[in-house]
Amino acid sequence: MARALPVGLELTSSHWGAWEVRREAGQPTGLAPWRGDPDPNPIGPAMWAAYRSPLRIQRPAVRAGWLERAPDDPRRGEGRGREPFVEVSWERAATLVAGELRRVIDTHGNASVFGGSYGWSSAGRFHHAQSQVHRFLNALGGYVRHVDSYSLGAGRALLPHVVCPVEYLLANAHDWGTVAAHTRLFVSFGGAPEKNARVGAGGASEHGLRAGLAAAARAGCRFVNFSPVRADIEVPDGALEWIPIRPGTDTAVMLALACETVRAGRHDTAFLASHCVGFERWADYLLGRDDGVVKDAEWAAPIAGVPAARLRALAAEMAATRTLVNVAWALQRADHGEQPFWAAIGLASVLGQVGLPGGGFSLAHGPANTMGSRHRLLPGPLLPQGTNAVEAFIPVARVTDMLMSPGGAFDYNGVSRRYPDIRLVYWAGGNPFHHHQDLHRLARAWRRPETVVVHEQVWNAHAKMADIVLPATSTLERDDIGHGTRDALMIAMRRVVEPPGEARDDYAIFADLAQRLGAADAYTEGRDVRGWLAHLYGEAAVRWAKAGVELPEFETFWAAGGVQVPDNPEPVVGFAAFRADPVANALATPSGRIELYSERIAAFGCADCPGHPAWFEPAEWLGSTLAARHPLHLLSDQPHTKLHSQLDHSAYSLANKVAGREPLRLHPLDAAERGIAEGDVVRVFNDRGVCLAGARFDEGLRRGVVVLATGAWWDPESPGDPSSIDRHGNPNTLTRDVGASSLSQGCAAQTCLVEVARFEGEAPEVRAFELPRFVRG
């Protein structure tokens, strides 16, 4: 049976971890890390003050220009991001939103409504904004949805064709104990950054990456990290070899390692024959039999900027010992992002260690806390979203294309489709003006819909670019249940503080709108929040019972504050069952085996994603002619002081700024060539835009590479104008808004060249954390 938490312990949950609520004289005073977390995330306590910030949205607000103009006025959306707001009552706001939904659906159909929701939203499983908005719109007859994710767009499209869905990899990666006991060579592309593994959807109450890497190093595991950034993986001294690679060239190195293994006769022919299909076709490519180019170490070395001799030696080492090939998610957020994942699978298959304890491939240890967890996979509470009657969808990273080109054609996963004509955007959860690419292009596209409605907690760029802004509660201000994949706890997230101003839960907002639109029964099913929590918990209890784990009754769970999830009875070894019997435990691919050549993908006819792993030169990289004008490769990674743009206004995030702006890390020698001193305000620019950042030196970068973390609230002088400066340092001012390939249409943000110069004169003041203007309605 799941164990109850210690008596008197009051917990709440977040993406960053589990937190004990501190009280004095019965009143909440702050948050402290859960005592069971060996490596707490320092972001979490920053929630306490950040959720009480003056930037919290207090009342519903409507853009003045939207109120003044009719729906068919082409100027209706022109003022988004520039015009003032009018604060209104909830009654008026709900009347306006319900009226717009009814008008748009009756006039243009449900396929004219885009249910935008992308982001980590709440750790709670009921107040999960994406689930709530989708359930609400389905109760009205459906909406245009998105598929895949910015984090894993290319991978999600590719992997089911060649090995398995992403969900299997997230839930069944080797646990850290298995890695420590068996892995003796951890070859990573893009590292395993601790800051990334500090988060987890639904909760991350027991952070394990730091201890897991250290335990493996103590057990004798060696680490080889191909990355432009040395700090992408941190292990004890002497255990790590850093090979600084050109960004975007990892696939070439993996192909060379596979080629060298095959040419030396070290490949596992028995495993390739019994567990894989298509090796012979791929070998023709590796050995140059189909194009005359042998993909060996000498071929890859000048592409990647790494020594050929080291690649040849490493290939031999990998074949001689238990090796785990680890590939960070960032690598597939690039031109031809499918290829590094597929090449890693191919390399691990050639070595023949897939399914062995500590061997094979991982995609990946490091991007989130889930991978490597020792806890059981038990499905937690899940709010049903209903049935969507609208067939139209887009790959998530193609939202700008959809708004700009209604009726335009796009390819996705082997099928040609068309973009719908969107008249109303309803967004709850996430911030597109943080995570999308080429934000000025998005801002121009954002003017086209007739109405944009958002639920937000704070006055960030997302809220300022909307027409109707509805204030939403935060995690600390509502009752919920927290539970993450393979996490240590299921938490009764009892409300800690009252919401500010007139903020409401998403559920309360949608229930009100559903009542006005005649969909209350379909949306609420007659339940209030407490009724839903008990219902969802009961459904989870049935699923846990089938897995042999008993949960207490809901009221007992709620009073106790949560339960601890039991550990796995056996070590977690990815693909162990498949290796043991590839027939009885066949994969969900067309062949049931690992596909090193995919007949299905080949039949799609994608020129930019053929039937086997292959090297393609990126559109922008340090080996291209464009590097003459923009000679620095910009990497936009996950920040360590926030989760994407969440809590950028917190004291913890603000303390990391340089001159009030997001820090740009660059090599001191690259800075010296440009006359840049540490702490200077710098211009980061290319043909897509320009942003200001604060210079911070980092000798652990490959020369020619700069790093600007995502998450700075976008702060442009004039949204939509590429010549206007983002004063705060959001890298997506500069990144490319193109699909990774015609197979996936995934995000390609990491394929980006820039130049950097010292800002001369007085830098403009950052205005990201100012309230919008308000006028009387």
Side-chain angles (χ1 to χ4, degrees):
M1 182 171 181
R3 293 171 292 156
L5 293 174
V7 175
L9 185 63
E10 181 182 359
L11 289 184
T12 190
S13 185
S14 72
H15 329 298
W16 307 288
W19 310 99
E20 299 183 15
V21 180
R22 297 302 193 203
R23 293 184 179 270
E24 294 181 8
Q27 297 301 310
T29 58
L31 303 173
W34 174 50
R35 62 198 66 177
D37 189 347
D39 188 20
N41 189 336
I43 295 175
M47 290 190 296
W48 189 255
Y51 287 153
R52 286 153 186 74
S53 164
L55 287 165
R56 285 296 298 270
I57 301 170
Q58 301 287 322
R59 299 186 67 205
V62 185
R63 183 171 58 85
W66 184 89
L67 287 170
E68 296 165 359
R69 300 183 182 111
D72 59 354
D73 188 334
R75 300 171 299 158
R76 197 182 206 197
E78 288 296 317
R80 290 186 184 123
R82 294 189 292 272
E83 293 179 339
F85 285 87
V86 177
E87 290 190 324
V88 300
S89 67
W90 268 108
E91 173 61 29
R92 188 179 183 197
T95 299
L96 288 172
V97 174
E100 271 300 279
L101 283 164
R102 177 54 61 211
R103 179 190 68 81
V104 169
I105 291 172
D106 286 352
T107 305
H108 305 287
N110 287 77
S112 64
V113 177
F114 182 63
S117 182
Y118 182 82
W120 285 70
S121 58
S122 168
R125 297 298 82 195
F126 175 66
H127 290 294
H128 180 247
Q130 186 176 111
S131 299
Q132 291 285 354
V133 68
H134 292 171
R135 178 180 176 83
F136 167 69
L137 293 175
N138 281 336
L140 301 183
Y143 64 99
V144 174
R145 71 192 194 280
H146 75 253
V147 297
D148 301 332
S149 69
Y150 283 85
S151 295
L152 272 168
R156 283 188 178 277
L158 169 80
L159 291 173
H161 299 301
V162 303
V163 63
C164 65
V166 164
E167 285 71 21
Y168 178 88
L169 298 175
L170 301 183
N172 294 279
H174 297 322
D175 62 39
W176 286 115
T178 296
V179 172
H182 299 281
T183 305
R184 290 299 166 260
L185 185 56
F186 189 103
V187 179
S188 193
F189 294 85
E194 181 187 336
K195 59 184 173 58
N196 295 12
R198 285 188 174 277
V199 300
S205 61
E206 187 179 288
H207 295 92
L209 182 137
R210 188 203 299 264
L213 292 175
R218 288 195 302 271
C221 181
R222 293 188 300 115
F223 296 84
V224 177
N225 186 30
F226 288 92
S227 175
V229 182
R230 180 167 55 200
D232 271 347
I233 189 167
E234 299 180 62
V235 294
D237 291 342
L240 174 64
E241 176 187 359
W242 176 43
I243 302 180
I245 189 175
R246 273 181 172 170
T249 64
D250 305 80
T251 297
V253 168
M254 294 181 216
L255 295 175
L257 293 171
C259 179
E260 294 291 345
T261 301
V262 173
R263 287 211 304 182
R266 300 188 184 99
H267 55 301
D268 189 330
T269 55
F271 180 83
L272 290 166
S274 59
H275 290 73
C276 305
V277 297
F279 169 69
E280 294 79 9
R281 298 285 296 274
W282 190 42
D284 287 344
Y285 173 77
L286 291 176
L287 301 174
R289 291 195 286 254
D290 58 358
D291 63 2
V293 178
V294 179
K295 315 307 183 296
D296 59 8
E298 280 70 24
W299 166 80
I303 294 172
V306 298
R310 183 65 192 105
L311 294 181
R312 283 194 302 273
L314 180 60
E317 294 166 22
M318 294 172 73
T321 191
R322 187 61 55 85
T323 300
L324 183 63
V325 180
N326 190 67
V327 183
W329 291 357
L331 270 62
Q332 53 85 65
R333 294 195 289 270
D335 263 2
H336 310 100
E338 301 81 9
Q339 302 310 316
F341 270 19
W342 204 353
I345 294 165
L347 173 57
S349 298
V350 163
L351 294 171
Q353 298 184 25
V354 177
L356 294 177
F361 64 91
S362 177
L363 306 173
H365 282 72
N369 189 58
T370 297
M371 289 73 80
S373 170
R374 62 190 174 90
H375 297 289
R376 294 192 60 176
L377 175 62
L378 295 167
L382 183 66
L383 179 68
Q385 298 180 21
T387 301
N388 191 347
V390 174
E391 294 183 0
F393 68 86
I394 63 165
V396 65
R398 303 274 57 79
V399 61
T400 297
D401 290 351
M402 173 188 70
L403 296 177
M404 280 190 161
S405 306
F410 69 96
D411 293 325
Y412 173 75
N413 228 345
V415 178
S416 180
R417 301 180 180 275
R418 293 196 175 275
Y419 290 118
D421 185 2
I422 297 300
R423 304 302 181 100
L424 186 148
V425 173
Y426 204 125
W427 208 288
N431 176 1
F433 286 94
H434 147 69
H435 59 244
H436 195 68
Q437 285 66 63
D438 196 345
L439 289 177
H440 283 299
R441 183 171 182 259
L442 175 62
R444 295 193 296 275
W446 206 249
R447 299 169 186 161
R448 299 198 172 202
E450 295 164 4
T451 299
V452 176
V453 182
V454 306
H455 296 192
E456 257 297 354
Q457 299 168 345
V458 288
W459 281 109
N460 56 20
H462 181 212
K464 293 173 182 177
M465 292 292 291
D467 298 322
I468 303 176
V469 183
L470 304 180
T473 55
S474 77
T475 293
L476 299 178
E477 298 151 8
R478 53 202 183 204
D479 290 340
D480 212 331
I481 299 174
H483 178 64
T485 303
R486 285 176 67 181
D487 194 56
L489 302 176
M490 181 187 285
I491 298 174
M493 297 169 60
R494 298 189 290 261
R495 177 188 286 192
V496 179
V497 295
E498 293 299 312
E502 299 177 17
R504 293 182 178 179
D505 298 343
D506 295 312
Y507 183 68
I509 296 171
F510 287 133
D512 183 359
L513 294 174
Q515 180 67 43
R516 294 167 186 266
L517 292 164
D521 289 344
Y523 178 68
T524 70
E525 297 184 19
R527 298 187 182 96
D528 60 10
V529 171
R530 187 62 173 265
W532 270 111
L533 295 182
H535 175 71
L536 299 180
Y537 179 88
E539 291 185 329
V542 172
R543 293 191 291 268
W544 284 36
K546 292 179 180 178
V549 178
E550 184 181 351
L551 278 171
E553 294 297 320
F554 174 75
E555 294 301 333
T556 303
F557 161 80
W558 194 254
V563 296
Q564 293 184 266
V565 178
D567 292 352
N568 276 296
E570 300 292 336
V572 182
V573 177
F575 294 99
F578 168 66
R579 185 180 186 95
D581 190 336
V583 176
N585 303 300
L587 303 176
T589 61
S591 65
R593 294 187 278 174
I594 297 171
E595 305 220 353
L596 304 182
Y597 183 92
S598 168
E599 296 285 357
R600 177 189 288 170
I601 292 178
F604 291 163
C606 301
D608 50 6
C609 188
H612 58 75
W615 158 252
F616 289 88
E617 183 174 315
E620 296 183 16
W621 67 303
L622 294 176
S624 67
T625 56
L626 183 61
R629 283 199 305 121
H630 300 133
L632 298 173
H633 196 119
L634 173 67
L635 298 178
S636 46
D637 65 349
Q638 166 67 19
H640 71 277
T641 58
K642 48 189 173 273
L643 174 56
H644 302 309
S645 67
Q646 290 188 30
L647 302 190
D648 189 35
H649 64 301
S650 73
Y652 185 64
S653 178
L654 294 176
N656 184 54
K657 308 283 185 181
V658 176
R661 304 164 212 275
E662 200 68 18
L664 176 85
R665 292 156 53 202
L666 72 167
H667 195 283
L669 297 179
D670 288 330
E673 289 179 352
R674 293 161 174 80
I676 296 170
E678 191 158 25
D680 280 350
V681 175
V682 295
R683 295 173 61 246
V684 190
F685 60 94
N686 58 21
D687 293 337
R688 291 177 289 274
V690 55
C691 69
L692 301 185
R696 179 172 290 166
F697 292 174
D698 186 347
E699 292 183 347
L701 296 179
R702 180 187 169 95
R703 290 289 309 276
V705 173
V706 295
V707 180
L708 182 61
T710 62
W713 286 4
W714 196 43
D715 186 29
E717 295 170 330
S718 179
D721 179 2
S723 67
S724 92
I725 295 174
D726 164 38
R727 296 165 287 220
H728 194 203
N730 188 313
N732 281 323
T733 306
L734 309 161
T735 50
R736 301 170 65 245
D737 187 15
V738 296
S741 79
S742 56
L743 176 78
S744 70
Q745 300 291 352
C747 159
Q750 304 296 0
T751 301
C752 180
L753 293 181
V754 301
E755 179 56 292
V756 176
R758 185 177 181 273
F759 187 86
E760 302 296 339
E762 185 175 351
E765 184 179 354
V766 174
R767 303 185 65 181
F769 305 115
E770 295 181 3
L771 295 173
R773 288 189 299 123
F774 294 98
V775 296
R776 290 184 179 275

